[in-house]
Amino acid sequence: MTEQNDFRTVSLDKSGTKLRIIDQNMLPNSVVWLELDEIEQVWQAIRTLAVRGAPAIGVAAAIGLAVSAANIRAKDFAEFYQQFCRMKAYLATARPTAVNLSWALERLKQVVLQNKQYDPLTIKGALLVEAEAIADEDVACCRAIGEAGLPLLAGVRSVLTHCNAGRLAAVQYGTALAPLYLAKEQGQDIRVFVDETRPLLQGARLTAWELNQAGIGVTLLCDNMAAAVMAQGWVDAVIVGADRIAANGDTANKIGTSGLAILADSFGIPLYVAAPGSTIDLACASGSDIVVENRDPSEVTELWFRQPMAPAGIDVFNPAFDVTPAKRISAIITDRGVIKPPFAKNLAAVFGK
Ligand code: MRU
């Protein structure tokens, strides 16, 4: 990763009082930074996808809750805790599928409880420290995912990815794109076929932008082109991120991933899922327990530029995610190494208590 691309996409601002995020809704046309310190602003940023991608959502929620909690006025612990829990519960409703959101919020709650003997001011300081630790860990995890995934790319000339699981979706490096950044650092040129990813075009707007910035060759595809590209023999591997991985390996990721997995399977192409431990939800037995977010129909009918592109009032199905069955996943690349099937046994061995 070049110095130019070395910035964090989600962080605590220099004053230590605001959540600083790149506004992903403005990309690729403008690079706009948002600084937020109210819980409603943070909720809105997550809900509207100004900050999106499972790890980035978790880190933004942690920093957003910590800076919002810093403004709580409370005379004692009980009063502070009550207001903190109200903020935490509210933020948890922003989006349901990425487990990183509740995971990060729960970590902050534990910090509050562990410090209950101290005054609210001390607890506020401890929350900011924990939120920054979550951000630092995310950077380290993504780097580790890149290192674990790199050997899988030996001899690979081109991969296909869906949605955005890059540095915009995390603090730095990303998950699915991390091995590609590391390959680039080591002089390996891998072309990336990027699905545009309807309806919100995370592939076209975000993945194509960030890979381009990093000097990695991109070919942008409409979502219905993957089979044709695979049939040419141009795709050596499919690599995607995850929003929640169940204990049996079933994986929720951007809508369209499960279709790609069927295609990859049928063409004999490996499909890798890359994710940090914070995305693995061992409390969730299988994909059928994962709540898939349904989003506003206007995302489908009005596209990005808000021009009508379907008859007014037409019935719309707009799930943001789908679940890829574990049997179609070749391996899960994590910060603790590459997990191979059988996932139920191997995920528990690495990530179980
Ligand atoms: O709706 P989004 O843009 O938040 O969906 C994001 C994805 O599906 C990503 O692939 C996933 O969160 C992994 S990000 C490293």
Side-chain angles (χ1 to χ4, degrees), residues 35-348:
E35 294 193 343
L36 316 172
D37 61 0
E38 286 171 21
I39 201 76
E40 292 80 10
Q41 296 173 325
V42 179
W43 187 95
Q44 193 68 13
I46 294 174
R47 180 72 200 158
T48 62
L49 275 56
V51 59
R52 47 140 304 279
I57 290 172
V59 175
I63 299 176
L65 179 58
V67 297
S68 304
N71 296 324
I72 292 176
R73 288 185 188 183
K75 61 175 181 328
D76 58 18
F77 177 79
E79 219 174 273
F80 178 82
Y81 188 57
Q82 195 187 31
Q83 291 188 54
F84 171 85
C85 287
R86 204 176 305 133
M87 286 181 172
K88 173 183 174 284
Y90 168 64
L91 206 48
T93 65
R95 295 190 77 188
T97 307
V99 66
N100 305 63
L101 175 59
S102 54
W103 170 86
L105 296 176
E106 199 50 42
R107 265 184 68 165
L108 289 204
K109 180 178 162 186
Q110 291 313 316
V111 166
V112 174
L113 292 175
Q114 281 155 15
N115 289 282
K116 64 193 295 184
Q117 69 275 30
Y118 299 112
D119 60 290
L121 194 65
T122 308
I123 300 175
K124 289 174 183 178
L127 283 173
L128 287 166
V129 169
E130 182 71 359
E132 285 218 278
I134 290 174
D136 290 345
E137 282 169 30
D138 188 70
V139 175
C141 277
C142 288
R143 177 86 201 181
I145 289 169
E147 278 159 9
L150 196 53
L152 297 173
L153 298 182
V156 161
R157 295 155 305 146
S158 57
V159 303
L160 188 147
T161 193
H162 190 66
C163 193
N164 173 263
R167 56 201 309 270
L168 290 165
V171 175
Q172 225 176 26
Y173 297 109
T175 58
L177 302 192
L180 297 165
Y181 284 128
L182 265 58
K184 171 78 182 167
E185 271 178 19
Q186 300 189 2
Q188 186 184 357
D189 275 326
I190 298 176
R191 173 150 289 271
V192 185
F193 289 98
V194 176
D195 278 351
E196 61 176 354
T197 316
R198 282 277 285 137
L200 294 181
L201 302 175
Q202 287 93 331
R205 293 187 303 107
L206 307 176
T207 304
W209 179 80
E210 67 163 86
L211 289 175
N212 210 29
Q213 291 264 313
I216 294 177
V218 172
T219 302
L220 183 60
L221 304 176
C222 295
D223 291 334
N224 48 6
M225 296 174 182
V229 173
M230 288 177 180
Q232 296 285 339
W234 291 341
V235 178
D236 296 321
V238 174
I239 183 160
V240 293
D243 287 84
R244 192 181 296 242
I245 300 175
N248 71 345
D250 289 353
T251 294
N253 190 50
K254 178 52 57 194
I255 189 75
T257 305
S258 65
L260 263 189
I262 293 169
L263 286 180
D265 195 18
S266 132
F267 282 98
I269 297 168
L271 178 131
Y272 303 121
V273 169
S278 51
T279 303
I280 296 167
D281 185 2
L282 294 182
C284 189
S286 76
S288 50
D289 299 323
I290 299 177
V291 177
V292 170
E293 173 186 14
N294 276 294
R295 293 187 59 88
D296 197 292
S298 66
E299 292 177 351
V300 175
T301 56
E302 293 177 23
L303 191 60
W304 190 249
F305 299 102
R306 301 291 165 211
Q307 297 293 324
M309 46 182 280
I314 200 84
D315 190 30
V316 169
F317 179 55
N318 185 19
F321 304 96
D322 61 20
V323 176
T324 300
K327 66 176 185 196
R328 295 218 166 83
I329 296 171
S330 312
I332 300 176
I333 308 166
T334 77
D335 49 300
R336 296 198 201 164
V338 175
I339 315 285
K340 296 226 166 103
F343 293 122
K345 178 168 162 269
N346 295 340
L347 282 171

